[in-house]
Amino acid sequence: MFRLLLGVMLCCLFAENAVAKEPLQFLMPDYPPYTYQENGGNKGIGYEAVASIMADLQLPFSVQLVPHFGRAIADLQQGSVDGFFLATESAERNKSAEFSEPVLMIQWSWVWLKQRTDLQPGSNSFKQKAVVSAQTNSNIYQWLKEQNYKVTAGTTDIRGLLNLLQFKRVEAILLPELTVKTLMAEQEIDTALFNFQQEVNLPFAIYINKVYLQKHPEFMQQLNAAIRRYQEKISNATTN
């Protein structure tokens, strides 16, 4: 009888470990220089950070690139993935997933043509009159609408926003400054033709599907602890 009980307990333990070691299925948006692919390989500041954090946890994971945040959220809500990274927080996203501690900080910045000397982001006139846009289905786009800017339709393809600006279909766009400058370098666009002004600085983190957390209730605590160790490692490396 004892041997039977011991055998059952060992089987349960092995099964639990097997589930815990199943690769987490992540999505990441095409959002250089944070998350993107190059020659079929996953790249970016954000991807490398998450890879380091998952290595700390000794958990395997898979990553699928998606074209934009809207696609990542839709797939997560359908329960087909365990999470996505990196992202800013929103009430809508919090309905389906839990937001981790910050992995990075991200700066949303206004971008406009330098020749438009009349534009002054941050002024009441700019907010009331300037036609602006951002990537459709993104938190930035939703934020602009909530803040009552004169928002016109953006593009789901993040690279298309530069076309809207260059062809003067909008007067300014709001995007992370690093992302804008990376895209400009890709398209050989002279950054000297544009002005940049930071609007807000926000946490950029990992969203984990609540369905996954129901099966692994301790995971979020473990993930956040690993993120803190990652931050400490980065801080020490910078100090030294």
Side-chain angles (χ1 to χ4, degrees), residues 66-157:
V66 290
H68 49 75
F69 287 100
R71 170 68 181 277
I73 297 163
D75 286 358
L76 183 137
Q77 289 172 338
Q78 292 172 5
S80 58
V81 294
D82 299 317
F84 68 96
F85 64 84
L86 293 170
T88 54
E89 188 175 14
S90 74
E92 182 64 27
R93 295 172 182 182
N94 289 345
K95 293 176 183 177
S96 304
E98 190 167 335
F99 195 62
S100 76
E101 292 187 12
V103 175
L104 304 172
M105 297 299 291
I106 193 167
Q107 296 79 34
W108 293 353
S109 294
W110 289 108
V111 188
W112 70 101
L113 289 168
K114 192 165 284 187
Q115 62 186 242
R116 289 295 307 272
T117 55
D118 58 310
L119 294 179
Q120 295 181 334
S123 67
N124 288 332
S125 175
F126 178 86
K127 189 171 185 178
Q128 294 169 4
K129 299 178 180 179
V131 178
V132 303
S133 196
Q135 185 179 26
T136 307
N137 297 325
S138 69
N139 264 1
I140 302 179
Y141 189 83
Q142 185 61 33
W143 182 86
L144 287 172
K145 293 173 68 176
E146 291 172 354
Q147 297 298 314
N148 296 317
Y149 282 91
K150 289 190 65 177
V151 188
T152 190
T155 60
T156 54
D157 177 4

Side-chain angles (χ1 to χ4, degrees), residues 45-64:
I45 304 166
Y47 171 77
E48 291 171 3
V50 172
S52 178
I53 291 163
M54 298 306 292
D56 181 340
L57 291 170
Q58 297 183 349
L59 284 176
F61 69 104
S62 64
V63 178
Q64 178 185 346

